[in-house]
């Protein structure tokens, strides 16, 4: 088994319901989504009522997964990132 290296300032967060990803400004670098039986979506907004930066639609299928990579710069949330989950079991975020 190989070593896992992380970059300083990078952390993770997991949510299982609609809510804030972190408590302050952050860059969302990637997401690992676990879906539910029905098709769903993850909508990323700047705070709970702010602008939508991304909408990721997921296919129907219990326990189907999607890995979304936003590149080295990620999506920049100048306030806190908020995710609205519809028919999603959980989302694991890598944030910087």
């Amino acid at each position: 088994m190989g070593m896992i290296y992380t970059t300083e300032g990078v952390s993770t967060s997991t949510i299982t319901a609609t809510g804030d990803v972190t408590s302050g400004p952050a860059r969302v670098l990637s997401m690992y989504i676990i879906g539910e039986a029905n098709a769903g979506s993850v909508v990323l907004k700047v705070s709970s009522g702010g602008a939508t930066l991304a909408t990721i639609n997921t296919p129907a299928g219990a326990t189907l997964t999607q890995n979304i990579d936003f590149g080295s710069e990620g999506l920049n949330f100048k306030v806190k990132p908020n995710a609205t989950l519809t028919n999603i079991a959980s989302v694991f975020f890598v944030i910087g």
Side-chain angles (χ1 to χ4, degrees):
M1 181 188 292
M3 298 287 289
I4 298 174
Y5 296 94
T6 59
T7 303
E8 185 177 338
V10 173
S11 62
T12 63
S13 172
T14 300
I15 63 173
T16 57
T18 294
D20 294 333
V21 176
T22 65
S23 60
R27 288 178 297 114
V28 174
L29 303 172
S30 65
M31 303 172 8
Y32 181 76
I33 304 166
I34 300 176
E36 292 184 342
N38 296 317
S41 65
V42 177
V43 178
L44 296 176
K45 294 185 175 190
V46 178
S47 196
S48 61
T52 298
L53 294 188
T55 299
I56 296 94
N57 294 311
T58 62
T63 70
L64 283 180
T65 63
Q66 285 185 292
N67 188 40
I68 309 296
D69 183 10
F70 294 111
S72 62
E73 295 299 315
L75 292 178
N76 190 16
F77 292 83
K78 295 187 183 204
V79 187
K80 57 187 168 190
N82 181 279
T84 301
L85 308 184
T86 303
N87 295 327
I88 300 295
S90 68
V91 183
F92 173 81
F93 293 91
V94 177
I95 50 180

